[in-house]
Amino acid sequence: LMREMIMLQRPSAGSVRAFDVDVTALDDEQALALRRRWGVMFQRGGLFSALTVRENVGLPLREYSELDDALIDAIAEWKLSLTGLAPDAGLKFPGELSGGMLKRASLARAIALDPELVFLDEPTSGVDPVARDAFWRLLIELSRRDRVTIFISTHFMNEAERCDRISLMHAGKVLVSAKPADIATQHGAGSLEQAFI
């Protein structure tokens, strides 16, 4: 579903709307303009291994802006700091980062262009519980501070409870779409996780 939403895959039926536009009906130029309004963090990071972390974060700015290299590097370092990474992390290569650091670096690249919408694919998979909790606090802060809408694909029910609204899917179908507390209440459970055990 997320691949269809971000235009990496064409849906076999139906339509996908973002910013009140049917993304399946766009030409290449219109699709590019729409993609500039969102950022994407892939499950395994999706960073280029031959580039430093700072170069990876600055890549969208080099592709889509007229800014000079020094300013792009400064913005990349600032975006990395917003995700809680130390300044020297930008000089490392993706293969030198821990799992949690890689997730944060990938998030920094996803927000490089100050998007209105950010797509995150399993952002805490493969991360220890302490780092997972810290990452969620970071996402909540980002959403509130920058007024960014965050779309998250996750299989962790306890994490989904932190979201404002969730859609539960099974076998390619949306079973329910509502606030987590409403779903738990509907099923007579104390939590979202208990509602589906």
Side-chain angles (χ1 to χ4, degrees):
L1 178 61
M2 192 173 108
R3 288 177 59 84
E4 292 170 348
M5 293 172 79
I6 63 175
M7 297 185 278
L8 288 181
Q9 184 175 317
R10 192 163 184 81
S12 56
S15 65
V16 176
R17 298 188 71 80
F19 303 114
D20 206 29
V21 173
D22 182 353
V23 304
T24 61
L26 301 179
D27 62 30
D28 290 345
E29 188 176 326
Q30 293 168 322
L32 181 59
L34 190 62
R35 283 187 177 115
R36 289 183 186 174
R37 296 178 67 185
W38 66 52
V40 180
M41 179 185 146
F42 296 97
Q43 183 174 353
R44 292 183 180 87
L47 300 181
F48 294 103
S49 61
L51 300 179
T52 66
V53 170
R54 184 175 69 188
E55 289 169 338
N56 268 285
V57 175
L59 190 61
L61 292 160
R62 283 191 170 79
E63 290 289 319
Y64 301 120
S65 80
E66 307 274 328
L67 302 175
D68 64 55
D69 287 344
L71 184 53
I72 288 173
D73 286 346
I75 292 170
E77 288 171 4
W78 175 55
K79 295 295 181 177
L80 286 165
S81 73
L82 289 178
T83 66
L85 287 174
D88 66 332
L91 303 176
K92 296 181 178 182
F93 288 91
E96 299 176 294
L97 301 181
S98 68
M101 291 173 71
L102 186 63
K103 298 284 187 181
R104 287 172 182 266
S106 300
L107 179 61
R109 187 179 64 182
I111 63 171
L113 294 173
D114 297 322
E116 301 164 65
L117 174 63
V118 178
F119 291 93
L120 307 178
D121 184 15
E122 296 286 353
T124 59
S125 66
V127 178
D128 68 77
V130 173
R132 190 180 306 152
D133 188 59
F135 194 84
W136 270 92
R137 287 196 309 275
L138 171 65
L139 293 180
I140 291 166
E141 180 187 348
L142 172 69
S143 175
R144 290 181 181 155
R145 183 190 63 224
D146 298 342
R147 298 185 180 201
V148 175
T149 298
I150 302 176
F151 176 95
I152 300 170
S153 169
T154 183
H155 65 276
F156 294 113
M157 294 294 251
N158 60 333
E159 292 183 357
E161 283 189 298
R162 298 181 185 197
C163 297
D164 295 326
R165 184 172 187 83
I166 63 167
S167 295
L168 292 170
M169 295 187 68
H170 177 70
K173 304 278 185 195
V174 175
L175 300 178
V176 63
S177 186
K179 294 179 179 180
D182 292 345
I183 295 172
T185 302
Q186 256 183 340
H187 288 82
S191 71
L192 186 64
E193 196 165 17
Q194 291 171 343
F196 291 94
I197 292 178

